[in-house]
Amino acid sequence: MESFARTVFRLRLAKWVWACVAGTIAYALMLADVFAYILQALAYQGIFVVAWVAIALVHITGAEPEDPQPARAINPAGWGPG
């Protein structure tokens, strides 16, 4: 932060001033409850990652269905069981 301000704004302040600025910004972020939104977004991302890994593992292991015969979409006997 100190280096950025020195390069962009040509602003030279003492290190203790930058420590106070960083502390103030962190405190403002905590009061604004920004971290709760970030935590919720990371929870959704975790759900998608776990689902993707599960799909990838099933694909890699080549799991076959237990009944290899395809299910019939139409009942040739009519409405009853067939």
Side-chain angles (χ1 to χ4, degrees):
M1 188 177 227
E2 178 184 1
S3 176
F4 175 75
R6 188 181 318 148
T7 305
V8 175
F9 303 117
R10 310 254 187 240
L11 186 62
R12 291 180 183 264
L13 297 173
K15 290 193 185 290
W16 67 270
V17 174
W18 289 113
C20 291
V21 169
T24 303
I25 291 172
Y27 186 67
L29 286 174
M30 283 188 243
L31 287 179
D33 204 22
V34 173
F35 298 116
Y37 296 113
I38 294 172
L39 184 64
Q40 186 176 12
L42 287 175
Y44 280 111
Q45 183 182 7
I47 292 168
F48 287 121
V49 168
V50 168
W52 178 79
V53 168
I55 291 168
L57 284 175
V58 169
H59 180 72
I60 289 170
T61 59
E64 296 290 328
E66 292 188 22
D67 186 15
Q69 293 184 355
R72 290 186 275 181
I74 299 174
N75 184 358
W79 290 98

